[in-house]
Amino acid sequence: MKFNNILFVLILLNALIALAQDINQFDANGKRHGVWKKHFKGTKVLRYEGQFFHGKEVGEFKFYENENGKPILAATKMFNETDGTAQVKFLNPQGKPISEGRMKGKAYVGIWNYYQNNGKSLLTTEHYNDNGELHGERLVYYENGQVAEMKHYVNGKLHGESKWYSEANVVLKTYNYVNGELHGPAKYYDPQGELITEGQYKHDKKTGIWKFYEEGKLIEEKDFTYKPKYIKVDGKYKKASN
């Protein structure tokens, strides 16, 4: 009976040793291969787990936060073997999604969605190019699902018309951007959609005549045309008469 118990223990130990040898291994070229698990330094709390194939991540990886000595799932990555990208999801401590989309290395690519605190309703939708730059439409939402902001990007810079909305879907403000700068018409509206201010921007600065309205009637105009303080006359500078 004692011999059988000893034999069972030896078999169990050999099995555990064999299992341990299958984790955190390297191939002949020194690249990570097979199942890998890492812990937070100086602890037994799991930091990440996943599988490598001769140095390349494959399948699903899980990443954890150390919460009072316990591993809490914080993110998952599902690697695509064909294009080198990964489908990524970030989670809050309650397991609800914070954001999700694709990554290539450390760069965001394609469509990314960010969520309200409930983990279901959208907060923001962004589009990225293959270089990890904002490219295309970026939408921000109210809790009721109504669009709050709509902007357009080209290679990481604001470009084109941007709009801001009320929760009742009334346009509150419109800007125009060129290569990241305010450039072109700008309009402001009250919560009922009545125009209250309009003018032009040029390279991030107000320019020309700006008009101000009240109950649909023009009440004031301001001239933001650049006027130099000094002008050059006969090779000499003198104070301009503005």
Side-chain angles (χ1 to χ4, degrees), residues 165-181:
Y165 300 84
S166 71
E167 288 190 75
N169 197 29
V170 176
V171 176
L172 299 176
K173 181 171 63 175
T174 65
Y175 282 161
N176 194 74
Y177 289 89
V178 175
N179 201 29
E181 293 182 328

Side-chain angles (χ1 to χ4, degrees), residues 23-157:
I23 298 176
N24 297 356
Q25 298 296 298
F26 296 91
D27 64 12
N29 295 316
K31 295 181 179 180
R32 286 176 286 187
H33 187 68
V35 176
W36 269 69
K37 293 184 178 183
K38 282 290 185 179
H39 299 82
F40 288 95
K41 189 174 181 180
T43 75
K44 294 183 179 180
V45 180
L46 192 62
R47 185 163 65 90
Y48 79 81
E49 58 183 337
Q51 189 164 346
F52 290 88
F53 184 76
H54 300 295
K56 183 180 179 181
E57 298 100 332
V58 293
E60 186 179 46
F61 271 65
K62 294 180 179 180
F63 301 85
Y64 301 87
E65 293 287 347
N66 184 350
E67 292 287 341
N68 299 319
K70 294 182 179 180
I72 302 298
L73 186 63
T76 63
K77 285 187 178 182
M78 180 64 72
F79 287 90
N80 187 317
E81 296 182 19
T82 58
D83 62 7
T85 65
Q87 189 67 29
V88 182
K89 181 181 288 187
F90 293 101
L91 307 166
N92 67 17
Q94 290 73 44
K96 295 178 180 179
I98 298 172
S99 62
E100 61 182 337
R102 286 193 305 129
M103 293 183 71
K104 192 169 187 178
K106 295 183 179 180
Y108 287 13
V109 294
I111 300 174
W112 268 80
N113 289 323
Y114 299 79
Y115 295 93
Q116 306 275 358
N117 290 333
N118 60 23
K120 296 179 180 179
S121 304
L122 282 173
L123 174 63
T124 308
T125 297
E126 298 177 340
H127 294 76
Y128 291 84
N129 61 20
D130 290 340
N131 296 320
E133 300 168 321
L134 283 167
H135 187 82
E137 195 172 61
R138 181 181 186 272
L139 297 172
V140 179
Y141 301 89
Y142 290 108
E143 287 188 15
N144 66 2
Q146 167 61 41
V147 173
E149 297 178 15
M150 180 180 66
K151 298 179 179 180
H152 292 84
Y153 287 81
V154 174
N155 297 327
K157 294 182 178 181

